[in-house]
Each structure stands twice: as structure tokens, then as C-alpha cells.
């Protein structure tokens, strides 16, 4: 991997305060286990918007998997299918949602997209995602300005020449140029900063698929998204890559889960690294936690097999943590299992 590619993946925005705090915030919480509850059988499986998954852990959408593996998102999909993991495939992927879904049997796929200035193209892409086999649309709503990325000296990342972005262009453009030659800067400027809650209702109607709103950090916004038709809220600050200085996801997850109640599912990403992090997220009210950078590192290190091994290991860590906490399944994790860590 090139140095700028590594800086792009690992880095955050501004002074990287939020990037660091995402990790620290999970450390500021402590699990409080319950004992003597027969932990012979401990199940990690759950459902996410009705889709059965092997563990309450998913792959967050991340752009350009060809930066880390020549097969790009199709390698990711093979690892996801092998381990029963839900994969959220980015709009800025190098492989189309269709090719990603076709990479293995039983790929559990959700497509992540932005609302574009061109609503006709937005609708076309959403329909294409559905026809590819995506079981939900994940709309990312934290892309209303261009972040300053510290490790790239404030500049946007320039992808390698000829990199394909098939989910960012119309079918006609994709057919004529195989999705190549799309300028990433132009694609990012196609994201519509005028997006509001009313667009959620519209986007959901485009496909009828369940809608997940990703990038929510305030309980009132979460409630308004649900009022507008969202089926799930993904609490996320984009891995500290958008607004630097904003709140860590672990610090706001509980309030958002309380605001949403049982009207929608709640997920979280940002700094999730271990089984205990995942179980802390469940205790605060998330149904699942998603990982970004760790999955890219595993893919870079060992391709699909490396990613599958990483996901299997994380699942085992979740299973072990559930057992130690006295929970025979994710559904048994309660708010009482987590509390602020005492002073050091
Ligand atoms: C290299 C990279 C690319 C990303 N690309 C996208 C993207 O295309 N769409 C999106 O919604 N989020 C994107 N994200 C954000 C992730 O979905 C997720 O919010 C974040 O990575 C979670 O934090 P973590 O890396 O600490 O696990 C990206 C993150 C990284 C690291
Ligand atoms: C192409 C970008 C939208 C990818 C992204 O979300 C990111 O780099 O964090």
C-alpha cells in the first residue's frame, strides 16, 4: 500500500481528536458481569432488520477496497459470506454492488449511499442497489462538507489513475467507461448538502427497502429520522473523519437508544476493536456494532482469508465476553452490564 493510501485509511480529520476519543470512550466504560448463570451454551447470532447474522458485528462501509486488495469488495464479500457477516458496501466502492453480491453465495449485503444533487441518479442508484440484492439502503448523512484530512496535509485523497467507481455513475456512463475515469473529487461534490429529513422519506419510497440512517449523533435527530421513516439509526461520526472535535459514539449511544426505543434498530461504529467493545455497545442499546479500519487492515494483511480469520476471531471474542458477563445471547445484555469506569 502506498503511504498516502495508508494515511487516507488510518487518518481522521483536523487534529484527530475525535479519532482518538472514539477509541478512548470505550475504555472509559467498564463491563459489570453477572455470574452463576450456566454459560454452557452461548449464542452470538442475531438478526439485523430481519437478516440473520452470525454475530452482532458488521462491516461498516468503507471506500475503495482495491487500495488494499486487488479483488477489492469482492474479496470482502467472500470473507463476509464465509463468516455470516453483514457487509455494508460503499457507494465509493471499486466493485459494483452487483459484482459484490455475486462474489459468493449468501452474501448479506446492504448498500451505503449518499443523497446526490441529481435526484434522478440517486433514485437510479438506489434501485440498482436493490436489484443487486441489497436488503437495505444505508444513507450516510454526515457528508455535507468536505473535511480537512490532517495526514493528507489537508488535501483530499487522490485515488490511483483509472480506479473504478461503478456505484457513483449512471448505468449509461458505467457501460460506456466501465465506471472508470470518475474523478473522486467530482463524485464527492455530487453529494447534496441540502439534504433534510424529508429526503429520507423520499429515498425510502424509491425502493421500499428498509432505510438505515448513518451518521446520527443527537437523540432528537435520531427520533426525527425515525419519524421520517428510518428503520434503523447508525450512530457514527464516520470514524473521526468528518467533524473533528465532535462527540465519541460511545458517549452518545445510550441517549440515542433511549430516544429511539423499540421504534427502530440502533447500531454504532467508531473505535470498536474487541469483543468487550461490542458487548459495551449492546449494553448501551445497540443491536450491532460495525468495524471500519480493522477490517481493511485484515484485508490488506491476508486478503479474503485474512479478513475471514479476523471476523471469526472477533466473533469468538464476543462469545467469550458474553459468557463472562453471564449472557447466553446478545439479547440478554442489559444496560446494567456497563457503567462508567471508576477514577484511575
Ligand atoms: C478508509 C475509510 C473509508 C470510508 N468510507 C466510507 C464510505 O464510503 N461511506 C461511509 O458511509 N463511511 C465511510 N467510512 C466510515 C466508516 O463507515 C465507519 O463510520 C468508520 O470507519 C468506523 O470507525 P472505525 O474505523 O474506527 O471502525 C470510511 C472509513 C474509512 C476508514
Ligand atoms: C469517498 C469518500 C466519501 C469516502 C469516505 O467516506 C471517507 O473517506 O471517509
Amino acid at each position: 500500500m502506498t503511504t498516502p493510501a495508508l494515511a487516507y485509511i488510518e487518518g481522521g480529520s483536523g487534529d484527530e481528536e475525535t479519532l482518538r476519543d472514539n477509541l478512548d470512550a470505550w475504555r472509559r466504560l467498564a463491563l459489570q458481569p453477572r455470574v452463576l448463570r450456566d454459560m454452557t451454551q452461548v449464542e452470538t447470532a442475531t438478526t439485523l432488520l430481519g437478516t440473520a447474522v452470525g454475530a452482532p458485528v458488521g462491516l461498516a462501509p468503507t471506500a475503495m477496497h482495491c487500495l488494499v486488495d486487488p479483488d477489492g469488495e469482492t474479496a470482502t464479500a467472500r470473507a463476509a459470506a464465509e463468516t455470516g457477516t453483514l457487509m455494508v458496501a460503499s457507494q465509493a466502492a471499486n466493485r459494483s454492488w452487483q459484482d459484490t453480491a455475486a462474489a459468493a453465495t449468501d452474501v448479506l449485503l446492504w448498500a451505503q449511499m449518499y443523497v446526490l444533487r441529481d435526484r434522478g441518479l440517486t433514485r437510479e442508484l438506489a434501485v440498482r442497489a436493490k436489484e443487486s440484492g441489497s436488503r437495505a439502503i444505508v444513507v450516510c448523512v454526515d457528508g455535507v462538507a468536505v473535511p480537512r484530512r490532517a495526514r493528507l496535509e489537508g488535501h483530499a485523497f487522490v485515488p490511483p489513475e483509472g480506479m473504478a467507481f461503478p456505484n457513483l455513475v449512471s448505468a449509461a456512463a458505467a457501460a460506456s467507461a466501465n465506471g472508470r475515469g470518475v474523478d473522486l473529487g467530482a463524485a464527492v461534490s455530487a453529494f447534496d448538502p441540502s439534504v433534510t429529513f424529508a429526503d429520507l422519506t423520499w429515498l425510502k419510497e424509491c425502493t421500499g427497502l428498509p432505510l438505515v440512517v448513518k451518521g446520527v449523533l443527537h437523540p432528537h435527530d435520531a427520533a426525527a429520522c425515525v419519524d421520517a421513516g428510518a428503520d434503523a439509526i447508525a450512530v457514527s461520526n464516520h470514524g473521526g473523519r468528518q467533524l473533528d472535535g465532535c462527540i465519541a459514539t460511545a458517549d452518545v449511544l445510550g441517549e440515542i437508544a433511549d430516544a429511539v426505543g423499540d421504534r427502530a434498530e440502533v447500531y454504532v461504529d467508531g473505535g470498536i476493536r474487541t469483543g468487550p467493545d461490542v458487548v459495551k455497545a449492546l449494553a448501551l442499546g445497540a443491536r450491532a456494532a460495525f468495524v471500519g479500519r480493522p477490517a481493511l487492515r485484515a484485508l490488506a494483511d491476508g486478503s479474503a482469508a485474512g479478513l475471514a480469520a479476523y471476523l471469526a476471531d472477533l466473533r469468538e471474542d464476543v462469545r467469550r465476553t458474553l459468557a463472562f458477563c453471564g449472557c447466553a445471547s446478545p439479547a440478554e445484555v442489559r444496560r446494567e452490564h456497563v457503567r462508567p469506569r471508576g477514577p484511575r
Side-chain angles (χ1 to χ4, degrees):
M1 211 189 306
T2 63
T3 308
L6 189 63
Y8 165 71
I9 291 168
E10 291 292 327
S13 58
D15 294 332
E16 301 191 335
E17 199 179 297
T18 299
L19 174 68
R20 286 189 295 276
D21 203 34
N22 271 350
L23 293 155
D24 294 345
W26 297 112
R27 307 280 93 74
R28 290 195 294 266
L29 296 168
L31 289 166
Q32 186 165 29
R34 305 300 301 269
V35 293
L36 296 166
R37 279 168 167 74
D38 186 357
M39 290 291 113
T40 320
Q41 296 287 335
V42 177
E43 185 56 71
T44 58
T46 185
T47 58
L48 301 178
L49 294 176
T51 294
V53 293
V57 178
L59 292 169
T62 48
M64 296 178 272
H65 289 195
C66 283
L67 290 175
V68 294
D69 188 284
D71 289 345
E73 288 74 11
T74 56
T76 316
R78 290 200 301 276
E82 187 183 325
T83 55
T85 305
L86 178 78
M87 170 181 179
V88 185
S90 169
Q91 183 163 33
N94 302 130
R95 297 285 180 263
S96 66
W97 289 314
Q98 190 175 15
D99 288 350
T100 303
T105 40
D106 301 328
V107 181
L108 307 173
L109 189 75
W110 291 355
Q112 174 270 317
M113 57 187 293
Y114 293 86
V115 174
L116 308 178
R117 292 175 202 266
D118 181 338
R119 297 304 158 88
L121 181 57
T122 309
R123 178 194 291 273
E124 182 194 320
L125 290 166
V127 170
R128 211 190 297 167
K130 182 180 184 179
E131 288 171 351
S132 302
S134 174
R135 300 166 187 222
I137 298 291
V138 179
V139 61
C140 182
V141 296
D142 61 15
V144 293
V146 180
R148 189 173 63 84
R149 296 273 163 90
R151 296 188 208 190
L152 296 164
E153 292 166 354
H155 300 300
F157 176 68
V158 181
E161 188 85 17
M163 196 170 231
F165 292 97
N167 302 328
L168 276 163
V169 291
S170 70
S176 65
N178 194 24
R180 286 176 195 279
V182 178
D183 175 68
L184 189 64
V188 170
S189 65
F191 303 164
D192 192 349
S194 80
V195 63
T196 66
F197 293 98
D199 293 298
L200 302 178
T201 313
W202 169 80
L203 184 59
K204 186 168 170 178
E205 282 166 5
C206 286
T207 64
L209 286 175
L211 186 71
V212 183
V213 184
K214 173 174 182 279
V216 177
L217 291 169
H218 197 291
H220 293 172
D221 283 352
C225 288
V226 177
D227 290 343
D231 299 279
I233 302 296
V235 177
S236 173
N237 54 35
H238 216 103
R241 297 165 71 83
Q242 298 295 90
L243 174 62
D244 190 42
C246 77
I247 194 161
T249 51
D251 287 335
V252 78
L253 171 60
E255 283 172 44
I256 290 183
D258 290 344
V260 168
D262 57 9
R263 294 200 297 149
E265 296 189 353
V266 175
Y267 316 128
V268 68
D269 71 32
I272 296 284
R273 299 294 177 264
T274 65
D277 293 343
V278 174
V279 175
K280 288 172 188 177
L282 299 181
L284 290 172
R287 192 161 178 93
F290 287 73
V291 289
R293 295 177 186 84
L296 290 175
R297 284 180 211 137
L299 194 63
D301 286 347
S303 197
L307 179 55
Y310 162 75
L311 290 168
D313 187 63
L314 185 54
R315 179 191 299 190
E316 184 51 27
D317 203 24
V318 171
R319 200 199 65 76
R320 176 189 302 126
T321 307
L322 288 172
F324 279 136
C325 287
C327 300
S329 73
E332 291 188 9
V333 182
R334 299 273 177 273
R335 188 68 62 88
E336 65 168 28
H337 289 103
V338 76
R339 54 188 292 178
R341 189 174 292 286
R344 289 186 191 274

